[in-house]
Amino acid sequence: MNTIHIITNGDTNRIKQTIKALNTYNLSYKIHMIPKHKTNGKLGCFLSHIKLYCYAQKHNLDYICIAEDNICSS
């Protein structure tokens, strides 16, 4: 089964909501806690994705599905 990698800065409400949605669809996931950038949210978002690309390379993943902790599904 494929794993969805969720980026979060620790917002507990968003994490709970995301986990509930992923469990509804029986999806495999891994939560990655990455602190907010202190001064630049856009840069922080960019860097969090780069960190997950490095994670994928380190773990020899052929591809990686990255989602934010406010992912929506319908």
Side-chain angles (χ1 to χ4, degrees):
M1 178 178 271
N2 296 323
T3 300
I4 299 171
H5 294 265
I6 306 295
I7 297 170
T8 183
N9 62 18
D11 183 317
T12 54
N13 289 331
R14 283 170 58 161
I15 293 169
K16 285 179 189 177
Q17 204 170 21
T18 299
I19 289 172
K20 182 180 176 183
L22 294 168
N23 286 337
T24 297
Y25 297 104
N26 198 30
L27 296 172
S28 175
Y29 61 88
K30 178 170 177 55
I31 305 287
H32 298 268
M33 302 287 279
I34 300 175
K36 282 184 176 180
H37 191 277
K38 292 180 182 180
T39 59
N40 187 328
K42 289 180 183 180
L43 178 60
C45 181
F46 173 77
L47 293 174
S48 69
H49 285 245
I50 296 298
K51 287 180 182 182
L52 287 190
Y53 297 140
C54 293
Y55 172 92
Q57 184 177 27
K58 180 179 176 182
H59 291 87
N60 297 314
L61 301 177
D62 292 328
Y63 60 90
I64 187 168
C65 177
I66 300 172
E68 303 292 329
D69 63 1
N70 61 346
I71 186 173
C72 296
S73 63
S74 59

